[in-house]
Amino acid sequence: MGLDLLIRNATVVDGSGAPRYRADVGVQNGRIAELGRIRAGAQRTIDADGLILAPGFIDGHTHMDAQVAWDPIGSCSCWHGVTSVIMGNCGFALAPCKPQDREWFARCLEAVEDIPTEAMMTGIDWTWETFPDYLGNVERLPKGLNYGMYLGHSALRMYVMGERALDERATPGDLQRMHGLVQEALRAGAMGFSSSIATTHVTPSGSPVASRIADWTEIEHLVGAMAELNAGIFQIGPDISGGEAHQACLDRLRQLAVDSGRPVMFGTLSTRQGIDPLPWQSQVGAIDATVAAGGRMFGQTTTRPIIAIFSLKSYLPFDVLPAWQAVRSLPLEAQQQRFGDPEVRQQLVAAEANMKPRDNVLQGGGAATTDPRKPDYSNLYALRGVDLNDPTVEELARVSGKHPAEVMLDLMQENEDQLFVQLLVNESMDDVRGMLKHPRTLATFSDSGAHVCQEMGSSLQTHMLSYWVRDKQAFTLEEAIRMLTFDNASAWELPNRGLIRTGYAADLVLFDEAQVKPKLPTVEQDLPGGARRLVQKAEGIAATIVNGRIAIENGEATGDAPGQVLKGPLAS
């Protein structure tokens, strides 16, 4: 019998970190069947001469829980070589959820993750209540990616406690019920349990999300439910509001990891925001100390700064000002015309002085766009490319002799697609490099599916390949591929993924080493109901293959949906 797919003459970078080699790769029944010089025929043959063949990239920090219901290709991740994602991070999930709470759940996700409520209520056929129901629903959906999922703490708490979840400690009865539901989710296939104590995570009213009301006794109890079954990963959004709070959080997580024996994951971040922020070196030092004490712990880091994106088509820093609101309520073309009116322009520039002054309160991408402070124009970049060498608005203002707000008006009047980028976290690329170099951090944390018109992290994989490998030569291609594939597969305990080996799942990405890079983001209105989001594609990727079938070819979806649900070890 012939092969389903044959990839000839590929340069194989197999995910292990070993040097590349030339080979053919044969695929049968969704798995890698042969490696070497293959003489058998196949239903489809790809000539990969001059191209790199790597395992499909794995992203362990996404929020695609809602998007999977209406987006079978898994964009924007699918365009960057990603074949597997983990969703339900930071305690945010859509299950368990009682029918009467669906819109409330959606509004909470909008408040924290900028996923429009209207898109969720329009795009989701919300037929589930329990976590096993939700997992079964995702199994039935057409999927271009593989999806694993956590049980989310905020969702769990609200399901068990109702409105009490938003302002009360859990009772012994609440804890007992949540304990049982954690174990039920693990047996159904959950990858683990996620939570958040991050001060940036708030409800639509600005109050803390449900998981932030829980005390450490509750968190320890629920992680203990996983420990009893010796299964499941604990992921948490830590408190990084200031150095003291951050260190106290890491100390508790170290004890939790040692006592429970369960792997603990959180974002490792470098920032100038907050009160005496904790350096990233101290964060990875806490990970090393935890491992030395007998625990398992991983940091998750981005491959570039975490940013807020502003544009005429989405948010602007000035949208909170009445003078700007009067113009921003107009159609796009009319806005540009008003920008050119000298009297209106003078009013808009003058209004900028009334913005809230900057402070040292940590702001994530959500608050930075919806409750912005007066811009630091030295940290606000006019985006021209994706190579992190763009001019700041302050630099452009100095050259032109104009007010920075007027410079932005000029650029938007000339180009309705002009983007401005504010660096929020991981502002220093030297810090990013240091975190990526640490052996216990994972190159992940895209937040794909969230902050849909505020941030854009879905291209972290192609940025890694273009910026850190090709441009800066900080990593070899073999090192970078290992970080994006096998390291993540190992951390999330995904069997038979992350390597090019016979018998492994045929999740593969085929790309041009000299050309691969992200494209500039654009603002599109392609969510259910016409809601807007940022879309970012990539160059240089010839094919993305999921479970042996081509899902994306030359940047276009094939219409095939070969994705599967990735389940934890206790799933039957």
Side-chain angles (χ1 to χ4, degrees):
M1 181 181 294
L3 298 166
D4 297 329
L5 176 66
L6 175 58
I7 303 170
R8 287 199 181 279
N9 304 313
T11 299
V12 176
V13 179
D14 69 4
S16 70
R20 64 190 74 187
Y21 61 90
R22 289 289 294 269
D24 304 333
V25 177
V27 174
Q28 184 73 43
N29 296 326
R31 296 195 172 270
I32 298 169
E34 292 188 61
L35 283 167
R37 188 58 62 208
I38 300 174
R39 292 171 175 79
Q43 294 182 26
R44 170 78 188 271
T45 298
I46 298 176
D47 183 1
D49 188 32
L51 298 177
I52 300 293
L53 183 67
F57 305 143
I58 297 169
D59 188 354
H61 194 117
T62 78
H63 294 275
M64 300 175 78
D65 312 67
Q67 182 180 328
V68 68
W70 65 73
D71 179 11
I73 69 173
S75 60
C76 298
S77 293
C78 65
W79 292 311
H80 299 276
V82 172
T83 56
S84 297
V85 300
I86 310 298
M87 57 190 184
N89 282 272
C90 300
F92 303 118
L94 296 178
C97 177
K98 296 173 182 175
Q100 62 268 28
D101 293 332
R102 290 169 182 168
E103 185 169 347
W104 169 247
F105 270 44
R107 294 200 179 281
C108 284
L109 277 176
E110 179 175 33
V112 178
E113 303 293 358
D114 191 43
I115 307 169
T117 298
E118 293 75 14
M120 285 184 274
M121 300 309 294
T122 302
I124 298 174
D125 182 13
W126 211 319
T127 58
W128 63 85
E129 178 169 331
T130 68
F131 180 89
D133 291 342
Y134 175 73
L135 187 149
N137 179 75
V138 176
E139 279 195 296
R140 290 186 292 272
L141 291 169
K143 300 173 290 297
L145 303 178
N146 302 310
Y147 291 87
M149 59 205 79
Y150 293 112
L151 175 68
H153 193 180
S154 284
L156 175 66
R157 213 169 194 271
M158 291 166 68
Y159 184 73
V160 169
M161 298 176 62
E163 292 184 3
R164 292 188 299 114
L166 297 170
D167 55 24
E168 291 184 17
R169 296 282 189 258
T171 66
D174 296 330
L175 291 176
Q176 183 178 9
R177 191 173 175 205
M178 285 191 280
H179 179 285
L181 290 172
V182 169
Q183 294 193 342
E184 175 190 65
L186 289 177
R187 291 189 174 102
M191 304 299 297
F193 171 70
S194 72
S195 187
S196 173
I197 57 172
T199 56
T200 55
H201 291 160
V202 296
T203 68
S205 66
S207 61
V209 295
S211 65
R212 288 178 55 197
I213 305 302
D215 56 17
W216 279 101
T217 298
E218 178 177 327
I219 292 173
E220 290 160 1
H221 184 85
L222 298 177
V223 175
M226 295 195 293
E228 289 178 10
L229 300 180
N230 196 31
I233 294 162
F234 178 54
Q235 184 275 331
I236 187 169
D239 182 353
I240 61 170
S241 59
E244 184 176 347
H246 199 169
Q247 185 62 61
C249 173
L250 295 180
D251 290 343
R252 295 301 298 251
L253 291 175
R254 176 177 60 189
Q255 195 61 49
L256 179 63
V258 172
D259 291 346
S260 70
R262 301 316 310 149
V264 173
M265 296 183 178
F266 54 84
T268 49
L269 302 167
S270 170
T271 184
R272 294 191 289 268
Q273 293 192 78
I275 303 167
D276 297 322
L278 191 68
W280 68 266
Q281 293 90 342
S282 298
Q283 298 168 47
V284 297
I287 296 173
D288 290 337
T290 299
V291 174
R296 282 188 285 170
M297 185 175 281
F298 299 91
Q300 299 177 356
T301 195
T302 62
T303 64
R304 63 183 186 189
I306 295 176
I307 58 178
I309 294 181
F310 298 98
S311 78
L312 185 62
K313 292 182 175 179
S314 58
Y315 299 97
L316 288 175
F318 318 109
D319 287 345
V320 293
L321 300 169
W324 282 79
Q325 289 171 353
V327 176
R328 295 282 283 147
S329 64
L330 300 172
L332 204 64
E333 186 176 348
Q335 291 185 49
Q336 289 179 298
Q337 290 174 350
R338 299 299 296 274
F339 290 167
D341 183 314
E343 184 177 345
V344 172
R345 174 175 285 228
Q346 185 179 9
Q347 293 172 354
L348 295 177
V349 172
E352 183 260 12
N354 298 320
M355 293 186 72
K356 295 178 183 177
R358 302 201 68 76
D359 54 33
N360 64 352
V361 175
L362 180 79
Q363 281 194 313
T369 51
T370 58
D371 184 27
R373 301 299 187 261
K374 187 172 182 178
D376 172 7
Y377 295 106
S378 67
N379 186 41
L380 187 65
Y381 295 80
L383 202 62
R384 294 176 175 174
V386 295
D387 300 319
L388 300 182
N389 57 4
D390 307 291
T392 66
V393 174
E394 181 181 75
E395 291 168 344
L396 296 174
R398 190 183 308 120
V399 170
S400 66
K402 295 181 178 180
H403 189 283
E406 189 169 9
V407 168
M408 295 176 68
L409 288 170
D410 286 341
L411 293 171
M412 291 185 292
Q413 189 179 2
E414 295 167 5
N415 177 13
E416 66 179 27
D417 293 314
Q418 176 66 54
L419 301 176
F420 301 94
V421 168
Q422 176 187 338
L423 307 189
L424 298 174
V425 174
N426 294 353
E427 302 99 319
S428 164
M429 293 305 286
D430 286 339
D431 289 347
V432 174
R433 176 176 175 164
M435 287 184 284
L436 287 170
K437 286 283 186 181
H438 192 273
R440 300 191 195 280
T441 61
L442 304 169
T444 184
F445 212 151
S446 75
D447 262 0
S448 191
H451 305 293
V452 296
C453 223
Q454 298 172 322
E455 301 177 13
M456 177 44 64
S458 298
S459 60
L460 76 83
Q461 295 82 14
T462 48
H463 178 81
M464 180 78 180
L465 300 177
S466 62
Y467 183 86
W468 287 117
V469 175
R470 188 172 62 239
D471 297 346
K472 298 301 180 183
Q473 299 181 31
F475 301 87
T476 66
L477 183 64
E478 286 82 354
E479 289 173 325
I481 295 298
R482 187 204 72 230
M483 293 163 67
L484 297 171
T485 59
F486 182 64
D487 285 358
N488 289 339
S490 299
W492 274 277
E493 301 175 358
L494 301 176
N496 302 316
R497 283 187 161 84
L499 290 172
I500 295 180
R501 295 281 192 276
T502 54
Y504 273 53
D507 292 344
L508 304 164
V509 57
L510 190 63
F511 64 91
D512 185 331
E513 180 181 13
Q515 300 296 325
V516 64
K517 68 183 300 184
K519 293 184 178 180
L520 275 172
T522 59
V523 179
E524 308 293 343
Q525 293 181 296
D526 65 353
L527 292 181
R532 66 193 182 186
R533 68 164 178 158
L534 286 159
V535 169
Q536 188 172 27
K537 298 185 178 183
E539 300 175 9
I541 296 183
T544 302
I545 298 160
V546 179
N547 297 310
R549 289 150 58 186
I550 301 172
I552 304 289
E553 190 165 17
N554 295 319
E556 299 296 331
T558 63
D560 206 348
Q564 300 174 358
V565 167
L566 304 175
K567 298 182 180 180
L570 298 187
S572 56

